[in-house]
Amino acid sequence: ETGLFMETEQPELLCQDLSFVPLSTRPDLAGIAPLAGIEVRSLEDWHQVIDWSFATCGPRAIAVKNQSAYERKLDYQQVSAAAAAPLFARFLKDAATLEAAELKAIQDHLFHYCIDRATEYDLPVKLHTGYYAGYGGMPLHRLRHNAGDMCALLAAHPNTPFVIMHITYPYQDEAIAIAKHYPNAYVDLCWAWIINPLAGVRFVKEFLMAAPANKLFTFGGDYLPVELVPGHARIARRGLAQALSELVREGWLSAADVPTLTERLMRGNAHELFNYEGTLAAWK
């Protein structure tokens, strides 16, 4: 199990992301290279493995996703292949000989290489931000820089849509500022409703007051057992209804605009950004 892509018999029920963590942040040479039938002896060989991964899984993926914010900052610098190649050669021989900065340079180069491939396949890039799953190990001093670190990524890849997952809670104000400023930044409320429902209500209200409404996705299940998703969806619907109702009562939103806005937030935005029909067609 490489974690690269999940095969499914029901893609219409749950579209799959292509994870590029095993291609960039933690290169899984032993797991993925044999699948591609490529012996990795250089950085160029690993590029070919990445290319194979996107060619094989990209057409059936709804997006690409990276959760590396659990283990490092999102300050992915642009490192050239020429600079990364000798470091990667040492990585192949003995990764333990590399300094932390050298390992980061390899990760940085591969991360941007994967973003370029995602752009070629018209795949939005989902990035985990904010709150950690689990307990007892969340470094808030690093999380608080997620949004700021993303600014360089958004500027470096202006033709690539980035989806900020989990509203960067508890630093959601920064997510609103990014979505307002950067044309290619979107925000997903997945998980946010069960982390803090009232924060979700405040976020929806403040987002709609500041940023374009077409850049907000209002729900994602974020449960392993599917049986728990309906309860999460009920919380999300209640929170969205409360946010929009308060905006109407406070005079910021017309009641006549609520049905159209609700459809956009709950369904329309996602269908505009993600190629759902094309992805399903690729599975057939």
Side-chain angles (χ1 to χ4, degrees), residues 90-131:
R90 289 172 52 201
F91 174 80
L92 291 176
K93 291 181 179 179
D94 187 357
T97 66
L98 294 173
E99 300 290 339
E102 294 174 322
L103 285 171
K104 180 181 181 299
I106 294 173
Q107 294 177 350
D108 290 359
H109 168 75
L110 294 174
F111 183 95
H112 284 278
Y113 187 90
C114 289
I115 298 298
D116 289 338
R117 299 292 81 74
T119 306
E120 289 180 7
Y121 283 85
D122 295 321
L123 294 171
V125 178
K126 298 178 180 179
L127 294 181
H128 171 90
T129 62
Y131 201 76

Side-chain angles (χ1 to χ4, degrees), residues 37-110:
I38 298 172
E39 184 176 358
V40 179
R41 296 180 177 179
S42 66
L43 178 62
E44 184 178 357
D45 292 337
W46 188 244
H47 284 172
Q48 292 180 19
V49 172
I50 294 174
D51 294 345
W52 172 88
S53 300
F54 275 87
T56 303
C57 306
R60 295 180 297 148
I62 196 70
V64 300
K65 186 174 182 180
N66 189 293
Q67 303 100 318
S68 61
Y70 273 99
E71 56 194 86
R72 58 159 286 171
K73 290 185 65 178
L74 295 178
D75 58 339
Y76 285 95
Q77 306 297 316
Q78 291 184 297
V79 177
S80 69
L87 297 176
F88 193 81
R90 289 172 52 201
F91 174 80
L92 291 176
K93 291 181 179 179
D94 187 357
T97 66
L98 294 173
E99 300 290 339
E102 294 174 322
L103 285 171
K104 180 181 181 299
I106 294 173
Q107 294 177 350
D108 290 359
H109 168 75
L110 294 174

